[in-house]
């Protein structure tokens, strides 16, 4: 299926490894031009080598000024931005009663506000074009909180609430905003957390996000797409 992404311009944050990298590669395979971000410039360059015409913007996505710079880079180079995939590193582990105010604020900044800032920077361009796709990489924890990942649970559900609210404002402009909610995937983060069990292939996750960014996903708005192999148990 042609996803209608040829020539579209995409910004993907936290894209040097894991789910962000897989998403950038999936979008590029569909013909999108891509701006890539992560902190480690060397790792980012390795990904860029696999994508024709890719632009890299090294930097910390939690820096409040960086999201707008990513969008600006796309607009200066290609005159538009069609797709934003906002990803960030995951917060540290911690149970609800053990996490500090500082940790909560840092998690909200990284896993909620940074994504909102990226969307906010791109929306004026998308509105003008009357076409846009925004996807936030979140976690299955928005559906089923994970006891030792309280910081992830609270910051990502805040982002989910923002998504659901913004979707109503964006729909009339041809812009959709959705959440991709990965379950366990075989990435460095998972290995670092020492988690074992059945895992998804990051490449498949990237394809799922590419579909949310497609022309055909035109009427999918304000939705959470679970990519978890059925691990989340619940009827909603
Ligand atoms: P990963 O393999 O550790 O990759 C993280 C990526 O984010 C790297 O490219 C890293 O590059 C970049 N990054 C981290 N902090 C950054 C920052 N402050 N600014 C810019 N880039 C940053 O992680 P992953 O497994 O792909 O996970 C991606 C997201 O999905 C995380 O939020 C994670 O919590 C969530 N998630 C993952 C799973 C899973 O099973 N893998 C499940 C649910 C949710 P640099 O270090 O060079 O910046």
């Amino acid at each position: 299926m042609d996803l209608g992404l040829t020539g579209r311009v995409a910004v993907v944050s936290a894209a040097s490894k894991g789910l962000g990298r897989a998403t950038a590669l999936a979008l590029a395979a569909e013909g999108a031009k891509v701006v890539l971000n992560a902190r480690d410039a060397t790792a980012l360059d390795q990904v860029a080598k696999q994508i024709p015409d890719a632009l890299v913007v090294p930097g910390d996505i939690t820096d409040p000024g960086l999201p707008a710079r990513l969008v600006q880079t796309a607009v200066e180079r290609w005159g538009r931005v069609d797709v934003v995939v906002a990803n960030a590193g995951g917060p540290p582990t911690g149970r609800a009663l053990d996490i500090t105010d500082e940790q909560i604020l840092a998690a909200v900044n990284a896993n909620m506000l940074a994504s909102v800032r990226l969307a906010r920077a791109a929306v004026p361009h998308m509105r003008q074009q009357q076409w846009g796709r925004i996807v936030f990489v979140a976690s299955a924890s928005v559906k089923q909180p994970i006891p030792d990942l309280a910081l992830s649970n609270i910051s990502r559900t805040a982002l989910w609430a923002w998504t659901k609210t913004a979707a109503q404002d964006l729909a009339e402009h041809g812009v959709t905003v959705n959440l991709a909610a990965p379950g366990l995937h075989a990435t460095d983060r998972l290995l670092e957390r020492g988690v074992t069990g059945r895992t998804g292939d990051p490449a498949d996750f990237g394809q799922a996000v590419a579909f949310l960014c497609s022309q055909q996903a035109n009427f999918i708005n304000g939705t959470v797409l679970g990519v978890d192999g059925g691990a989340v148990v619940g009827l909603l």
Side-chain angles (χ1 to χ4, degrees):
M1 179 166 52
D2 177 357
L3 297 185
L5 287 168
T6 303
R8 295 282 184 195
V9 173
V11 171
V12 186
S13 61
S16 66
K17 291 191 221 163
L19 304 180
R21 174 179 175 275
T23 300
L25 291 173
L27 292 170
E30 291 296 326
K33 303 169 194 302
V34 189
V35 174
L36 303 165
N37 152 262
R39 291 166 302 181
D40 179 349
T42 309
L44 211 48
D45 285 340
Q46 292 303 317
V47 183
K49 276 185 192 159
Q50 300 174 56
I51 301 178
D53 222 9
L55 294 180
V56 299
V57 182
D60 189 331
I61 197 63
T62 66
D63 168 358
L66 186 64
R69 270 187 37 227
L70 298 184
V71 169
Q72 192 187 347
T73 299
V75 172
E76 279 174 6
R77 174 69 176 82
W78 292 299
R80 57 190 298 123
V81 60
D82 302 292
V83 171
V84 158
V85 179
N87 183 35
T93 55
R95 300 188 81 90
L97 293 171
D98 298 332
I99 54 178
T100 64
D101 289 6
E102 290 72 23
Q103 286 180 309
I104 293 171
L105 290 170
V108 168
N109 189 40
N111 296 110
M112 188 265 180
L113 269 178
S115 299
V116 170
R117 290 183 191 120
L118 197 47
R120 215 160 39 200
V123 159
H125 303 279
M126 294 174 168
R127 270 204 195 118
Q128 200 180 3
Q129 297 158 189
Q130 291 290 295
W131 202 96
R133 299 284 184 267
I134 300 166
V135 179
F136 298 133
V137 178
S139 166
S141 68
V142 298
K143 294 187 178 186
Q144 186 169 286
I146 302 164
D148 71 340
L149 282 176
L151 293 167
S152 172
N153 302 339
I154 60 181
S155 54
R156 298 185 199 281
T157 45
L159 182 61
W160 171 217
W162 188 90
T163 302
K164 199 73 181 162
T165 313
Q168 298 173 60
D169 294 340
L170 292 173
E172 64 184 288
H173 301 287
V175 179
T176 66
V177 54
N178 292 292
L179 224 71
L184 296 179
H185 282 75
T187 66
D188 288 359
R189 173 170 167 82
L190 204 71
L191 296 173
E192 282 160 18
R193 286 183 56 216
V195 178
T196 54
R198 190 165 163 257
T199 57
D201 181 344
D204 292 342
F205 177 83
Q207 303 277 353
V209 175
F211 177 73
L212 284 178
C213 299
S214 69
Q215 182 58 39
Q216 291 89 337
N218 208 27
F219 211 52
I220 301 176
N221 192 22
T223 294
V224 176
L225 177 64
V227 187
D228 60 32
V232 169
V233 180
L235 296 178
L236 288 176

